[in-house]
Amino acid sequence: METVRDGEESARTPRAVRWFHLMCDRVVMLLPAGLRRHVAPTFVGYLLVSGCTFTVDLLILTALHGVVALPIAVTGGYCTAFGLSYLLNRTLNFESHGAVGPQVAVYVVVVVVNYLLFILGVTSGVAALGLDYRLARILGGLGEGLFMYSAMRWIVFRNWTLPGRR
């Protein structure tokens, strides 16, 4: 059964977007009934996009490692991945039609908060409590994933229409 997000899909919706939504909907339908009720197709889409962008991040890091200083390589991969994440989530997953400028500004703030709170804060804090830094980073990454999905769904890509406009 195909579910449709936010009203009926239009013939104007690009084929790639329709295919992506259908794939996410089908993955949700494969989940056990108790879990299916609590997992939004956009969460599945977010996980798919995040897996893709993390791969791009690692590929760029690998390509730049040894060519430039490690902090520059890490930053290049991280920034490219978050830029790609914005584009893919905007077009494929959340299918946002809001103004790009305000969305990008909000997204940058979300990414900075994410970086400070989860990448640096949780990872460093949990490691300081004695947990191995790799496990601390995994815990930080779990918080990061939930935070970023929630922020994109309910803040960055929410329906930004003004009252009286549709």
Side-chain angles (χ1 to χ4, degrees):
M1 178 175 131
E2 181 179 344
T3 58
V4 179
R5 297 182 211 158
D6 299 324
E8 295 196 23
E9 290 201 281
S10 161
R12 297 179 306 188
T13 302
R15 178 177 287 166
V17 173
R18 289 194 314 263
W19 177 84
F20 187 81
H21 286 191
L22 182 60
M23 183 177 57
C24 294
D25 293 338
R26 287 185 176 167
V27 168
V28 170
M29 294 307 291
L30 293 173
L31 297 173
L35 187 57
R36 185 181 318 140
R37 286 190 295 267
H38 303 289
V39 175
T42 56
F43 185 68
V44 172
Y46 169 78
L47 293 175
L48 292 170
V49 167
S50 293
C52 173
T53 57
F54 183 68
T55 301
V56 168
D57 185 346
L58 290 179
L59 289 172
I60 290 171
L61 172 61
T62 302
L64 293 177
H65 185 263
V67 177
V68 297
L70 184 59
I72 295 171
V74 169
T75 302
Y78 186 78
C79 290
T80 303
F82 270 101
L84 183 59
S85 175
Y86 171 82
L87 290 173
L88 292 175
N89 274 299
R90 175 182 164 81
T91 57
L92 290 178
N93 196 30
F94 295 105
E95 204 178 349
S96 175
H97 300 290
V100 173
Q103 279 184 347
V104 168
V106 171
Y107 184 71
V108 167
V109 170
V110 166
V111 168
V112 169
V113 169
N114 170 67
Y115 183 76
L116 295 173
L117 186 64
F118 292 102
I119 305 293
L120 295 180
V122 170
T123 302
S124 300
V126 173
L129 293 174
L131 192 64
D132 182 78
Y133 72 92
R134 290 167 287 228
L135 294 174
R137 180 61 188 100
I138 290 170
L139 287 177
L142 292 172
E144 171 189 9
L146 293 173
F147 172 78
M148 287 302 297
Y149 171 72
S150 299
M152 282 193 273
R153 180 172 179 181
W154 290 298
I155 299 171
V156 177
F157 297 119
R158 73 177 187 166
N159 186 357
W160 289 95
T161 58
L162 300 172
R165 293 184 64 194
R166 201 162 142 58

